[in-house]
């Protein structure tokens, strides 16, 4: 991305956090739907990729059904952005009433045990809202990791935004994040990680909707190394102003096997939990990038 493009990108996000934040909620919602509808009708790369990904999730869907799902998916994705731009202006009451989660006892009991908890989530719903709910309703701070974005000023905006919601944000690069996360967990703290896409060499291969992809090893490795509880979480919208969620049962550390073998089994268990939630609410999985290895390999083999 050129310097000029960087500045434009940063300015657009800045505009979102300054202007959209001030809009009445119904106006922001209509704006999000309008932008989503325009983007969907243009049939750009992101929309086409979303449909291709959804075809794995709903393999018996007709082309018309896939178009309906991608349309709903773009509206869900823009709802995420409209909410995120406005979250810093939400009252404590609005945040508390904006999220309803099933089986939260897995989380609260894990925290009460003092052994630390890792929450692992896919790109579903609005994990920033879920995080704000945790820091507000449960009065529990947590640590997360953010990918370093370009330009650096945009990364700084995201860090400031999430820190303003009560999160500790560590950079993904630099090598020190894992050690810091482990220390927080050993102290009985909470760590939240988005964990359904990893294109690095350290990613763990898993079967996901019948095909192979890679997911991060970090959640499973942290649970093994610190004794923390590992909990998958899925999120979705139901057409109301309230986002829904579920804390899935813990992913246990296998009793036998090498560290790598245990990590593989646990990461597959995360993938299976994510798949359950995504299959139930496919339109709320915001995966507009290539994910499965077959797509990545075909993409890489194309001539420049």
């Amino acid at each position: 991305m050129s310097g000029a493009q960087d500045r434009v990108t940063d300015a657009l996000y800045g505009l979102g956090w300054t202007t959209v934040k001030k809009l009445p909620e119904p106006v922001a919602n209509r704006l999000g739907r309008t932008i989503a509808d325009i983007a969907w009708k243009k049939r750009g790369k992101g929309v086409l990729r979303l449909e291709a990904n959804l075809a794995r999730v709903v393999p018996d869907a007709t082309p018309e059904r896939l178009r309906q799902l991608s349309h709903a998916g773009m509206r869900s994705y823009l709802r995420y952005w409209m909410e995120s731009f406005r979250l810093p202006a939400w009252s404590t009451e609005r945040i508390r009433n904006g999220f309803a989660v099933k089986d939260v006892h897995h989380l609260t009991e894990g925290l009460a045990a003092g052994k630390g908890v890792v929450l692992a989530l896919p790109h579903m719903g609005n994990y920033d809202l879920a995080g704000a709910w945790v820091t507000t309703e449960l009065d529990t701070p947590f640590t997360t990791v953010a990918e370093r974005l370009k330009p650096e000023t945009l990364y700084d905006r995201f860090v400031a935004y999430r820190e303003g919601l009560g999160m500790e944000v560590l950079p993904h690069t630099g090598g020190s994040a894992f050690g810091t996360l482990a220390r927080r967990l050993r102290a009985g703290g909470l760590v939240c990680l988005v964990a359904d896409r990893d294109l690095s060499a350290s990613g763990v291969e898993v079967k996901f909707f019948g095909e192979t992809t890679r997911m991060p090893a970090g959640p499973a490795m942290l649970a093994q190394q610190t004794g923390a509880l590992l909990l998958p979480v899925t999120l979705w919208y139901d057409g109301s102003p309230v986002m829904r969620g579920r804390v899935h049962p813990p992913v246990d550390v296998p009793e036998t096997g090498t560290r790598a073998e245990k990590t593989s089994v646990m990461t597959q268990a995360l993938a299976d939990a994510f798949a359950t939630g995504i299959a139930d609410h496919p339109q709320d999985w915001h995966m507009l990038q290539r994910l499965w290895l077959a797509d990545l390999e075909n993409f890489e083999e194309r001539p420049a």
Side-chain angles (χ1 to χ4, degrees):
M1 189 179 292
S2 69
Q5 289 175 313
D6 284 349
R7 290 190 293 273
V8 170
T9 300
D10 182 54
L12 288 173
Y13 279 98
L15 184 66
W17 272 302
T18 56
T19 302
V20 175
K21 179 172 66 175
K22 300 175 183 177
L23 295 176
E25 189 161 343
V27 175
N29 291 340
R30 286 196 299 272
L31 176 62
R33 288 193 297 270
T34 299
I35 295 172
D37 292 349
I38 292 171
W40 181 77
K41 288 177 182 177
K42 286 185 175 179
R43 310 287 294 163
K45 290 181 179 180
V47 173
L48 296 177
R49 174 47 48 193
L50 177 61
E51 281 186 15
N53 290 339
L54 288 171
R56 259 78 170 230
V57 176
V58 191
D60 58 347
T62 63
E64 178 58 27
R65 175 59 178 152
L66 285 176
R67 285 173 64 86
Q68 292 172 351
L69 281 173
S70 68
H71 191 187
M74 290 304 295
R75 285 192 166 192
S76 175
Y77 185 50
L78 263 295
R79 175 172 171 174
Y80 158 76
W81 279 111
M82 293 299 109
E83 285 180 348
S84 295
F85 288 142
R86 298 189 71 258
L87 260 178
W90 281 17
S91 66
T92 298
E93 182 180 8
R94 178 67 182 90
I95 292 172
R96 285 175 171 167
N97 294 334
F99 181 45
V101 58
K102 298 178 182 179
D103 299 327
V104 72
H105 66 91
H106 292 305
L107 171 58
T108 54
E109 291 170 3
L111 291 171
K115 58 191 296 187
V117 176
V118 180
L119 295 181
L121 306 90
H123 286 80
M124 289 187 79
N126 187 342
Y127 34 81
D128 288 327
L129 172 55
W133 184 87
V134 168
T135 62
T136 303
E137 177 66 17
L138 301 185
D139 193 25
T140 302
F142 65 87
T143 305
T144 189
V145 173
E147 180 182 356
R148 280 203 174 275
L149 303 172
K150 296 293 184 180
E152 190 75 14
T153 50
L154 179 58
Y155 171 77
D156 292 339
R157 285 187 191 275
F158 271 97
V159 170
Y161 156 64
R162 288 179 171 137
E163 288 180 342
L165 298 175
M167 311 175 194
E168 179 188 22
V169 183
L170 306 176
H172 185 268
T173 55
S176 62
F178 188 91
T180 302
L181 295 173
R183 287 194 294 274
R184 299 291 183 269
L185 292 169
R186 290 193 182 99
L190 176 63
V191 165
C192 300
L193 300 171
V194 180
D196 59 342
R197 184 172 186 261
D198 189 335
L199 305 182
S200 71
S202 62
V204 178
E205 289 195 2
V206 296
K207 287 293 184 181
F208 193 53
F209 292 103
E211 294 190 46
T212 304
T213 186
R214 285 193 293 265
M215 292 187 181
M221 292 177 65
L222 284 166
Q224 289 179 65
Q225 187 163 316
T226 68
L229 198 65
L230 176 56
L231 298 174
V233 178
T234 50
L235 309 171
W236 67 91
Y237 297 119
D238 65 357
S240 77
V242 180
M243 183 178 72
R244 309 290 171 175
R246 178 191 175 195
V247 181
H248 295 253
V251 173
D252 295 327
V253 178
E255 294 183 0
T256 60
T258 64
R259 175 177 292 186
E261 289 169 342
K262 292 178 180 180
T263 299
S264 178
V265 170
M266 295 171 73
T267 306
Q268 182 64 62
L270 281 181
D272 293 342
F274 293 164
T276 297
I278 292 167
D280 288 342
H281 308 280
Q283 69 276 7
D284 294 312
W285 185 43
H286 307 149
M287 186 55 66
L288 280 70
Q289 300 85 24
R290 297 175 187 275
L291 179 73
W292 281 273
L293 297 192
D295 292 338
L296 292 165
E297 290 165 358
N298 292 338
F299 180 71
E300 291 166 357
E301 288 171 1
R302 292 178 185 174

